[in-house]
Amino acid sequence: MKVAFHPGCVSKGACPELYVSATKIAGTLGLELQELTEAPCTGAGVLSEQNPDLGDSLNALTLAMAESMGGNLMTICSTCQGVLSSVNHTFEKKPERLEKANKTIADQGYTYKGTTKVKHLLWMLFEDIGVDKLKSVIKRKLTGLKIAPFYGCYILRPSDSLGLKERPERKTYLEQLIELLGAERVDYTGSGKCCGFPMLTFNRDKSLAMGGNHILEAKEKGADAMVTPCPLCHLNLDGQQPDAALAISRPLETPIFHLPQLLGLALGFSPEELRLNHHVVSTKRALEKVELKV
Amino acid sequence: MEAGGSHVLMKFTIEVGRYNPEGTYADDAKQGAPYPAPWASSPPRRYQSYEVDLPEHAVVLDALIEIREYQDESVAVRCACRSAICGSCAMWVNGHAHLACKSKLQEFTKDGKTRVESPPSMPVIRDLVWDMKPFWDNHRRVTPWLENKPLPPPMQEYRVTNEAMEELIQEVTCISCGCCLMDCESFAVNKDFMGPHALAKAYRYAADPRDDETQKRLGEYSQQGGVWDCTHCFECVQQCPKGVEPLEQILKLRRMAVNAGYTHNAGTRHADAFAESVKHSGRLNELTLLPKSVGFFNVLGQLATLPSAFNMIRAGKLPPIIHKTIPGVKRIKAIFDRVGGRFK
Ligand code: SF4
Ligand code: SF4
Ligand code: SF4
Ligand code: SF4
Ligand code: FES
């Protein structure tokens, strides 16, 4: 299945392990990724918050690029997913905004007709690849591993632009996947809450406490690791975890897997291939539970 | 309990989070207590199950009134209008803020039951009745009235355009129920934050053409605890039963504040650094974003970020030192030149 692929800046920047693991597992899943190398950053909501026209135009360009390639756009970042979905939703509800954006990008050689479907890899697993295919490619069950899902914000909210009203099951895909891979899912209240990342530069201590509290809860409920579809959540939960532990004065030491890393383990890739040795919080102990070494 | 005589009755199980400050439940609370969230403002509660027979279209509040009237008069619940107008029945239903009188039991029944409790981020008075003091304290902090000097001449009125008022309609529909605040992720860890309802209200006055203190307001809202303390989690948009979309109002306030010259804050520096990097390379340069947002001359702020930067370098998680530009970046620059506004 051919898909236009928008990897997002973070997977090309501070979380290269996400890009590597996502592109590794794509073939096994039957995905032919056509990377949108010329698409800009989505602006992560930061640019559109100050200037909605700018956000509209930059994202109309990306959506148009995907449209010219067939109209199926895959993301591996919840934030990209949220921003692109919300722009798509706005264009649908307010055609005058699309018209305005199209005027801006017309002389760049693009016009967006409004047909692109944006889907995070997590959604594609269930809606396009399918559970049967997934089951058929699993080589290694992750039995014995207790995993806490962490969705983060922008793949859950606001629910109308993400199509969660029509497809409420999207709120449970992580749990379903964890079970499908043979791991044990850990239920806790923080799975759909914010990791605090957007506040990291403005209000560092509170941001760290926010993420730290969720990790602490998952850990106290027995999680060996957490899994997230959002690299920004990963940056906060993994990258800042030692500081978060200090902020809430509790030891945390809970590894945070990117979605394609957890899936990749079940598909038979080695921890090194998935770059599980490039985390701030070591994945070693969790991997040993499924008799893997890193 | 068969209203109208023709409704099919269904069995619903309601789990009520009980808390009694007089200590009746103090021991029970220890058993079956929920995860004691480190940020929680209310103590652990005890969950008590009740079964009720109600028509299929019944709402959570119907069940609670049925319980209080016919099964257990000790259950404390607050309500008045029963039609999503007064805001008093706001509580946590299955872990999120909702108006009990607007929440259909059928939609909220999960694994055969519906759980109701007071929100953990707020002080609780008893059972489902939580203390709205933090809500009203924050509300007052934003000066929720028009500051207008001089007063209109006697027997005359201020005239405003329809367009100016239409801009404020969304906030005017707020019923002060507190749903947004009780689920606000920032408020949960930061009691200094004014909160979504208060800032939405703040926008309502700051953007009103009859207000004379807009500049002063924007200065106040740009301080600590104001617009920049929102983490952009969308919970308030998601939970507001009236479609006020407080986050949208906060973002408008941020824009107004920046345009009014209140730019000496991490929020503005962050947006500017973000825009600069996307404009020049098409991508975010994470290496410069953090230091630029914190402020190059903010030595303490810069130092605070060092340990995690060091950890990330050690794990090989540092963004490439040479920031690559995407092919076709000219297009991006052209877009910025055309609609970039402040970021041109
Ligand atoms: S939103 Fe984030 S991850 Fe997505 S493209 Fe922009 S900076 Fe990158
Ligand atoms: S949880 Fe954090 S990083 Fe993730 S989407 Fe929310 S704010 Fe972003
Ligand atoms: S978006 Fe901001 S104000 Fe709204 S709930 Fe989240 S942190 Fe609170
Ligand atoms: S903004 Fe919405 S959720 Fe918040 S108090 Fe007003 S009506 Fe309630
Ligand atoms: S009882 Fe008035 S809003 Fe629910």
Side-chain angles (χ1 to χ4, degrees):
Chain A
M1 183 191 325
K2 276 190 188 166
V3 285
F5 173 44
H6 187 50
C9 315
V10 181
S11 84
K12 289 291 194 86
C15 289
E17 69 282 1
L18 170 62
Y19 183 80
V20 170
S21 54
T23 45
K24 276 251 150 70
I25 63 166
T28 317
L29 298 172
L31 295 173
E32 200 183 308
L33 304 182
Q34 299 181 309
E35 190 171 326
L36 293 174
T37 49
E38 302 199 3
C41 168
T42 66
V46 175
L47 299 185
S48 50
E49 135 181 355
Q50 289 294 326
N51 185 339
D53 288 340
L54 183 61
D56 282 3
S57 315
L58 289 174
N59 290 303
L61 184 68
T62 302
L63 292 164
M65 285 173 174
E67 193 169 55
S68 68
M69 291 162 74
N72 290 321
L73 173 60
M74 187 182 98
T75 66
I76 47 173
C77 164
S78 299
T79 306
C80 297
Q81 180 65 38
V83 175
L84 289 165
S85 298
S86 118
V87 173
N88 235 354
H89 187 69
T90 306
F91 287 162
E92 205 179 298
K93 292 263 153 349
K94 298 180 179 164
E96 68 281 5
R97 294 257 301 253
L98 173 59
E99 209 178 303
K100 202 169 174 195
N102 269 335
K103 272 197 192 130
T104 309
I105 63 170
D107 55 6
Q108 308 309 319
Y110 284 95
T111 308
Y112 179 46
K113 293 199 237 21
T115 62
T116 300
K117 297 214 166 16
V118 190
K119 277 194 187 179
H120 192 285
L121 166 67
L122 177 64
W123 297 356
M124 293 200 64
L125 292 177
F126 289 90
E127 296 166 17
D128 300 276
I129 295 163
V131 171
D132 291 339
K133 162 91 182 174
L134 273 177
K135 279 187 182 154
S136 74
V137 290
I138 293 176
K139 291 212 182 104
R140 180 196 282 149
K141 284 270 183 184
L142 304 179
T143 317
L145 206 55
K146 290 187 183 160
I147 306 278
F150 189 85
Y151 287 89
C153 311
Y154 306 139
I155 202 164
L156 295 177
R157 291 180 296 275
S159 57
D160 45 352
S161 59
L162 292 161
L164 298 188
K165 292 224 169 88
E166 301 77 41
R167 287 184 177 272
E169 62 277 13
R170 283 182 176 168
K171 289 181 254 179
T172 62
Y173 285 163
L174 271 183
E175 285 86 345
Q176 289 186 47
L177 184 71
I178 291 167
E179 286 179 350
L180 196 73
L181 304 185
E184 194 182 319
R185 76 170 217 239
V186 175
D187 291 332
Y188 68 117
T189 56
S191 69
K193 300 209 184 249
C194 181
C195 69
F197 188 73
M199 234 162 57
L200 190 63
T201 53
F202 322 149
N203 209 334
R204 186 173 173 79
D205 289 348
K206 303 292 187 234
S207 162
L208 292 172
M210 222 186 257
N213 287 338
H214 304 322
I215 304 171
L216 180 65
E217 186 192 0
K219 182 184 162 149
E220 290 188 345
K221 295 255 166 83
D224 300 309
M226 294 166 84
V227 63
T228 179
C230 179
L232 291 154
C233 300
H234 190 274
L235 279 181
N236 220 33
L237 298 179
D238 175 62
Q240 308 287 334
Q241 198 179 114
D243 280 5
L246 292 176
I248 62 169
S249 317
R250 301 286 287 274
L252 294 172
E253 286 140 32
T254 303
I256 316 292
F257 285 61
H258 291 288
L259 169 71
Q261 289 182 318
L262 190 73
L263 186 53
L265 282 179
L267 299 184
F269 290 95
S270 74
E272 284 81 9
E273 282 177 294
L274 301 164
R275 294 185 63 130
L276 276 155
N277 48 348
H278 284 277
H279 285 214
V280 167
V281 180
S282 170
T283 55
K284 198 162 174 246
R285 232 181 314 155
L287 291 173
E288 279 166 4
K289 279 208 143 183
V290 278
E291 284 156 18
L292 285 165
K293 283 205 177 70
V294 62
Chain B
M1 193 55 213
E2 202 163 328
S6 60
H7 296 296
V8 187
L9 288 189
M10 287 179 68
K11 208 170 263 318
F12 294 102
T13 305
I14 316 291
E15 251 181 19
V16 181
R18 308 291 310 266
Y19 168 76
N20 181 342
E22 278 132 35
T24 323
Y25 306 126
D27 292 332
D28 301 345
K30 286 182 199 124
Q31 313 153 13
Y35 173 77
W39 44 265
S41 295
S42 64
R45 68 282 329 256
R46 173 179 69 115
Y47 293 104
Q48 190 167 350
S49 268
Y50 299 90
E51 289 211 334
V52 285
D53 293 319
L54 286 171
E56 54 187 359
H57 59 257
V59 293
V60 171
L61 188 60
D62 292 331
L64 293 171
I65 291 174
E66 171 81 10
I67 292 166
R68 189 188 62 187
E69 300 301 314
Y70 301 105
Q71 297 189 23
D72 183 350
E73 62 184 16
S74 74
V75 173
V77 52
R78 178 171 55 202
C79 62
C81 72
R82 303 181 67 174
S83 39
I85 291 296
C86 73
S88 61
C89 68
M91 60 182 73
W92 251 27
V93 185
N94 290 348
H96 281 291
H98 294 280
L99 295 178
C101 70
K102 200 181 174 226
S103 308
K104 286 240 171 75
L105 268 171
Q106 276 214 54
E107 282 167 28
F108 282 86
T109 301
K110 239 185 172 175
D111 304 326
K113 60 180 192 229
T114 305
R115 178 177 268 201
V116 289
E117 59 202 304
S118 73
S121 62
M122 297 289 179
V124 56
I125 296 171
R126 184 174 165 143
D127 296 341
L128 302 168
V129 182
W130 54 281
D131 190 350
M132 289 196 77
K133 188 170 186 302
F135 179 93
W136 293 115
D137 285 351
N138 277 355
H139 187 87
R140 275 181 216 105
R141 276 169 75 190
V142 302
T143 323
W145 54 79
L146 287 175
E147 286 282 8
N148 198 308
K149 314 169 249 219
L151 292 169
M155 304 307 286
Q156 283 190 35
E157 63 208 14
Y158 279 112
R159 295 226 149 178
V160 283
T161 62
N162 278 344
E163 294 72 39
M165 283 298 105
E166 268 166 19
E167 178 57 31
L168 308 176
I169 282 178
Q170 209 174 359
E171 161 48 33
V172 169
T173 57
C174 171
I175 56 170
S176 300
C177 62
C179 281
C180 54
L181 187 65
M182 68 168 96
D183 267 16
C184 173
E185 309 252 342
S186 184
F187 183 73
V189 295
N190 178 10
K191 297 295 186 252
D192 183 39
F193 179 42
M194 289 173 172
H197 71 294
L199 288 169
K201 186 65 75 191
Y203 175 73
R204 185 253 167 276
Y205 292 104
D208 192 307
R210 294 165 295 181
D211 192 81
D212 282 340
E213 298 282 358
T214 304
Q215 190 73 14
K216 183 167 157 252
R217 286 177 185 277
L218 294 172
E220 278 165 15
Y221 308 153
S222 299
Q223 307 283 320
Q224 230 192 346
V227 288
W228 299 105
D229 279 33
C230 156
T231 190
H232 214 291
C233 70
F234 279 107
E235 278 290 11
C236 52
V237 175
Q238 192 71 31
Q239 305 310 334
C240 172
K242 291 288 165 184
V244 173
E245 299 191 335
L247 172 61
E248 300 304 325
Q249 318 312 320
I250 295 175
L251 299 185
K252 288 186 211 158
L253 273 181
R254 283 186 180 180
R255 225 175 292 150
M256 281 176 86
V258 170
N259 291 335
Y262 295 101
T263 52
H264 296 290
N265 50 60
T268 313
R269 282 194 296 269
H270 179 254
D272 288 345
F274 206 116
E276 193 184 307
S277 112
V278 176
K279 182 180 168 183
H280 291 292
S281 63
R283 300 172 48 218
L284 177 65
N285 185 349
E286 295 153 299
L287 210 56
T288 54
L289 184 70
L290 191 63
K292 280 189 182 170
S293 309
V294 173
F296 278 117
F297 301 105
N298 175 359
V299 179
L300 281 181
Q302 297 281 1
L303 283 176
T305 64
L306 277 184
S308 44
F310 181 68
N311 286 333
M312 290 180 52
I313 294 168
R314 236 185 9 188
K317 294 186 70 138
L318 191 74
I321 304 280
I322 299 178
H323 180 66
K324 278 206 203 121
T325 295
I326 64 166
V329 72
K330 269 203 216 133
R331 280 194 202 104
I332 316 303
K333 283 193 182 130
I335 292 175
F336 269 84
D337 286 343
R338 188 163 293 174
V339 291
R342 217 179 80 249
F343 303 136
K344 256 183 201 163

